[in-house]
Amino acid sequence: MKNIYIRPALILTFLLMAAPLSAAVIVTPNGGTDTANPSGTYVYGWEFNVNSQITVDHLAIYDSGLDGLAESHDIGIWNPAGALLLSATIASGTGTVLDGLFRLVDVSNTVLAVGSGYVIAATNFDVDLMRVNASYLTIGPEISFVESRFLDTGGSLDRPTNSIGSLKYFGPSFTVIDSSTAVPIPATLALFGLGLAILGWSRRNKRS
């Protein structure tokens, strides 16, 4: 009878050990309207400052209807010196993960050091919509929004340099690893030890 309770506890222990660090979309638009640029040759994005070091683990595209993307989007983040740090393509359709208002694509964990003048941007907003003139929500104090940007690149991914002014355009975004909710290494080791102890106890009870 005891083993009935031991096995679920053991499974829970190993699930906790295997759980990934949580992620949260760094900026979510609220209010405003949704619009597109019919020409399809522009990239749109926004400039931001990093106030405390963060680790980017997903790039994201706004999904206006929460029903999938009409087109694939090339997306990237540039450092303050203008060098492309990471990029990816988010596929059309509903095959990518939906997190709130955004479709996500996994990228290699990339550290953004404290600094001013980072830029994120993406292609293909001739059919898929952006949120325009939106307020924004920053997840914690790690970053601060500077301004939205655009550039006519002929449709290729490049760093936008033109300011949109006071309007706030949100198409691309990203997620960061939230270390505050991660299981610390000592706690993980403790869970591992607990799992081994429960496993040993279960085997002894079986033999007895």
Side-chain angles (χ1 to χ4, degrees), residues 13-198:
T13 297
F14 282 102
L15 284 175
L16 287 170
M17 290 167 54
L21 304 180
S22 64
V25 176
I26 198 70
V27 169
T28 300
N30 299 287
T33 58
D34 290 348
T35 190
N37 185 328
S39 73
T41 63
Y42 285 73
V43 296
Y44 286 90
W46 40 278
E47 179 185 348
F48 62 99
N49 300 331
V50 176
N51 304 320
S52 60
Q53 181 175 292
I54 55 177
T55 301
V56 177
D57 61 350
H58 295 87
L59 295 175
I61 289 290
Y62 177 60
D63 184 355
S64 174
L66 308 182
D67 54 358
L69 301 172
E71 298 180 282
S72 64
H73 297 260
D74 295 329
I75 180 172
I77 293 179
W78 292 260
N79 69 12
L84 184 63
L85 292 177
L86 69 159
S87 62
T89 299
I90 301 182
S92 60
T94 58
T96 51
V97 173
L98 180 65
D99 184 353
L101 302 175
F102 290 85
R103 296 279 170 184
L104 306 183
V105 62
D106 189 31
V107 293
S108 298
N109 290 356
T110 303
V111 174
L112 303 188
V114 174
S116 301
Y118 287 91
V119 174
I120 181 171
T123 63
N124 292 346
F125 292 103
D126 53 329
V127 178
D128 288 321
L129 305 180
M130 298 171 288
R131 180 64 60 88
V132 178
N133 200 23
S135 58
Y136 63 93
L137 173 65
T138 300
I139 309 301
E142 297 92 347
I143 75 164
S144 54
F145 174 83
V146 178
E147 64 177 3
S148 292
R149 290 188 177 188
F150 72 99
L151 186 67
D152 189 347
T153 65
S156 62
L157 181 65
D158 202 354
R159 179 174 175 268
T161 54
N162 299 325
S163 172
I164 298 178
S166 60
L167 294 178
K168 299 179 180 69
Y169 279 53
F170 288 100
S173 194
F174 59 92
T175 74
V176 298
I177 292 176
D178 184 2
S179 59
S180 66
T181 59
V183 178
I185 291 176
T188 304
L189 293 175
L191 284 172
F192 180 70
L194 177 61
L196 291 177
I198 292 174

